[in-house]
Amino acid sequence: MSAVIDDKTRNRALINEVLATYPEKAGKKRAKHLNVYEEGKPDCGVKSNIKSLPGVMTIRGCAYAGSKGVVWGPIKDMVHVSHGPVGCGQYSWATRRNYANGTAGVDSFAALQVTSDFQEKDIVFGGDKKLDKLIDEIKTVFPLAKGVSVQSECPIGLIGDDIEAVAKKKHKETGLSVVPVRCEGFRGVSQSLGHHIANDAIRDWVFDKADYEAPFESTSYDVVLMADYNIGGDAWASRILLEEMGLRVIGQGTGDATLKEIEMMPRAKVLLLHCYRSMNYIARHVEEKYGVPWMEYNFFGPTKIAESLRKIAALFDDTIKANAEKVIAKHEQLCADVIAKYKPRLEGKKVMLYVGGLRPRHVIGAYEDLGMDVVGTGYEFGHGDDYQRTTGYIKDGTLIYDDASGFELEKFAEKIRPDLIGSGVKEKYIFQKMGIPFRQMHSWDYSGPYHGYDGFAIFARDMDMAINSPVWSLTKAPWKK
């Protein structure tokens, strides 16, 4: 108990120390985003989804990144056009390891970077004609593409290009599904609005134009695995478990998804939602309009996998419930072997997390399965309901930070002295140069999958490799010098 009290006292003092560095007005604003969690509270006690302070170097992305880089970009049989200057498209190209079956450039296009490459004259005279011509070129060069999404960059909203009119015109001329997405980067406070805009585009330009009167042979076990972007093969690892249970996955997305699979959401019996933040909007719409329920699940680490498999199975009959128990039992020995190998090397190690989407809460169970202790966590672009959901994962006294700056994270790390930090590529090299082991938890540091039972073995290996690498004998964290 005294250790918890000491942690709480230290963390509150640490927050006050960080806030004292800011000018008074900025400090008052940032104070709303930092807190120490108290067990029993309904949320983490921080404000979220608020515009970042000018001059404070936020680690957030933009609406374009949330739409093109997260939701639409992985759909493999569509060509995703970055409509605007080349820079945004180049930055978003291949930054997320959205694995997909198929042949790149033939029937799979997620790995391509396609842009309308705005020049000064396009800003002056508009880019509608250029976009029109580009879609014709896509139809010619990629005849197996099923559609085009137009991901608008900042200049498009500023000059007023009518991408909706172009989309309607080109759909009639080419027969392709052409989806305009108003995801200009300056919109909203972070990439989170881009997720929402992308979901609205699916609603308006995919669902509302799909033929749901067409015959479809359904079963009682039809599910759609959604909001899994197949980072390093995550969706494949999850799909294996669902199919072992006896469920029929009629669609997944948007990782390794086709446009037709996205259309299948309203035909499912249940939508299984992995990244709540990025696709809860369309899940709610499908439930309200089509009567298809949805549930969030967590396939990180054996404890949460078993909980989620049972929770999913509870929505179906006794056959699926029995199969879920068989799947859990089948992998018990694998998990025991992984824990026996790595827990002695990782037990008691302290972890700080700062990521986006679901990871600041979902991965906590996997760390705890290995005996590790998550002492701080926060979201880059989380909303209030994310922090409410987080309370079921964290312990009393955990340091919470929303939209943290690099300065704040460095100060927290210096005082908390974690054995591992899990965050993004922007933070990776700063902390490694400080001598602190690090894992890039947006795209698994070029490893993965981390979902599912097989993914847990990879996760454990990678955490051990980060913390116990002999390289740390050559450089030390500031507090070890």
Side-chain angles (χ1 to χ4, degrees):
M1 181 62 71
S2 60
V4 173
I5 294 173
D6 289 343
D7 285 347
K8 281 185 172 181
T9 303
R10 178 204 61 196
N11 288 343
R12 289 193 181 108
L14 178 53
I15 290 172
N16 290 333
E17 181 182 338
V18 166
L19 293 174
T21 308
Y22 291 113
E24 183 179 358
K25 186 176 180 180
K28 285 182 179 179
K29 288 185 176 181
R30 281 304 300 159
K32 299 175 182 178
H33 297 264
L34 307 172
N35 196 30
V36 180
Y37 176 63
E38 295 184 28
E39 194 169 4
K41 296 283 187 177
D43 60 36
C44 294
V46 295
K47 294 287 186 180
S48 59
N49 197 34
I50 297 173
K51 184 169 67 173
S52 301
L53 286 177
V56 175
M57 293 299 290
T58 179
I59 296 163
R60 287 172 166 174
C62 67
Y64 164 85
S67 176
K68 197 268 185 184
V70 177
V71 178
W72 277 98
I75 301 175
K76 65 184 179 182
D77 63 349
M78 297 181 72
V79 175
H80 306 288
V81 175
S82 294
H83 187 38
V86 69
C88 297
Q90 182 64 24
Y91 180 73
S92 66
W93 175 52
T95 55
R96 308 243 310 166
R97 297 165 51 250
N98 310 109
Y99 286 0
N101 288 306
T103 304
V106 178
D107 61 355
S108 180
F109 310 99
L112 304 185
Q113 204 281 81
V114 179
T115 178
S116 53
D117 188 25
F118 258 47
Q119 303 297 316
E120 185 176 353
K121 62 181 176 61
D122 300 310
I123 302 294
V124 175
F125 298 108
D128 290 356
K129 291 181 180 178
K130 194 170 195 178
L131 179 61
D132 187 303
K133 182 180 178 182
L134 173 58
I135 294 172
D136 285 336
E137 291 176 352
I138 288 171
K139 177 73 173 177
T140 300
V141 176
F142 305 119
L144 297 183
K146 302 299 182 186
V148 176
S149 79
V150 181
Q151 308 289 322
S152 55
E153 300 175 18
C154 287
I156 307 308
L158 296 173
I159 68 176
D161 268 9
D162 192 347
I163 61 174
E164 291 81 8
V166 175
K168 292 174 182 176
K169 175 175 180 286
K170 300 314 293 182
H171 170 65
K172 290 179 180 178
E173 292 177 0
T174 66
L176 294 171
S177 294
V178 183
V179 181
V181 190
R182 286 281 179 186
C183 57
E184 293 89 357
F186 58 75
R187 300 184 65 181
V189 302
S190 71
Q191 59 262 57
S192 181
L193 182 63
H195 304 150
H196 201 156
I197 292 167
N199 281 220
D200 289 349
I202 292 172
R203 178 195 65 201
D204 298 338
W205 293 84
V206 178
F207 290 171
D208 287 358
K209 298 182 184 305
D211 180 13
Y212 291 116
E213 299 300 320
F216 173 70
E217 192 173 324
S218 65
T219 74
S220 300
Y221 301 138
D222 292 347
V223 299
V224 168
L225 189 163
M226 60 187 293
D228 189 327
Y229 303 105
N230 208 30
I231 304 298
D234 280 340
W236 295 333
S238 298
R239 184 167 184 153
I240 288 170
L241 299 182
L242 297 173
E243 291 177 343
E244 283 183 344
M245 285 173 63
L247 300 176
R248 185 173 80 148
V249 181
I250 61 172
Q252 66 182 51
T254 58
D256 193 33
T258 62
L259 180 60
K260 181 60 68 176
E261 286 183 273
I262 304 303
E263 292 178 1
M264 296 302 286
M265 290 182 194
R267 293 191 183 272
K269 294 296 184 289
V270 178
L271 299 180
L272 300 176
L273 182 66
H274 202 253
C275 180
Y276 171 85
R277 182 73 275 134
S278 61
M279 292 193 80
N280 77 88
Y281 316 100
I282 198 66
R284 295 177 191 278
H285 170 73
V286 172
E287 182 173 47
E288 291 169 6
K289 182 171 182 177
Y290 301 98
V292 179
W294 62 273
M295 64 159 283
E296 183 183 11
Y297 69 98
N298 180 352
F299 277 179
F300 287 103
T303 300
K304 294 301 178 183
I305 294 172
E307 285 180 13
S308 290
L309 289 176
R310 290 180 175 125
K311 187 178 174 185
I312 293 167
L315 301 173
F316 296 92
D317 58 24
D318 289 342
T319 300
I320 299 299
K321 292 175 186 176
N323 287 346
E325 295 302 325
K326 291 177 183 176
V327 172
I328 294 167
K330 173 184 174 182
H331 294 91
E332 278 183 354
Q333 189 58 53
L334 166 66
C335 296
D337 291 344
V338 171
I339 291 171
K341 179 176 181 179
Y342 292 106
K343 190 171 182 177
R345 298 167 60 82
L346 298 173
E347 191 163 19
K349 300 296 186 183
K350 295 187 294 185
V351 184
M352 279 179 58
L353 298 172
Y354 181 57
V355 215
L358 51 88
R359 294 171 179 84
R361 63 180 182 272
H362 270 205
V363 299
I364 291 175
Y367 283 112
E368 290 178 343
D369 286 334
L370 296 168
M372 303 173 77
D373 184 16
V374 176
V375 295
T377 192
Y379 295 84
E380 292 178 10
F381 49 85
H383 293 211
D385 48 359
D386 289 303
Y387 285 104
Q388 290 169 4
R389 283 171 158 74
T390 303
T391 60
Y393 290 87
I394 55 179
K395 67 181 190 306
D396 196 34
T398 301
L399 180 64
I400 305 295
Y401 30 85
D402 175 74
D403 187 27
S405 66
F407 161 73
E408 290 170 355
L409 290 177
E410 287 180 43
K411 282 295 182 184
F412 293 155
E414 286 175 6
K415 292 298 174 73
I416 293 175
R417 303 185 177 185
D419 300 288
L420 177 72
I421 291 177
S423 191
V425 70
K426 296 174 187 174
E427 301 80 68
K428 175 178 179 176
Y429 301 104
I430 295 170
F431 289 113
Q432 286 185 334
K433 288 176 181 178
M434 288 173 66
I436 306 172
F438 189 96
R439 285 302 295 183
Q440 204 271 75
M441 294 297 286
H442 286 285
S443 55
W444 309 153
D445 244 334
Y446 319 106
S447 183
Y450 282 177
H451 294 184
Y453 289 109
D454 292 335
F456 176 62
I458 299 170
F459 173 87
R461 179 203 67 190
D462 287 355
M463 299 310 128
D464 174 59
M465 185 167 58
I467 290 175
N468 294 309
S469 170
V471 73
W472 304 118
S473 65
L474 304 177
T475 181
K476 294 186 182 298
W479 54 87
K480 292 183 179 180
K481 291 181 180 177

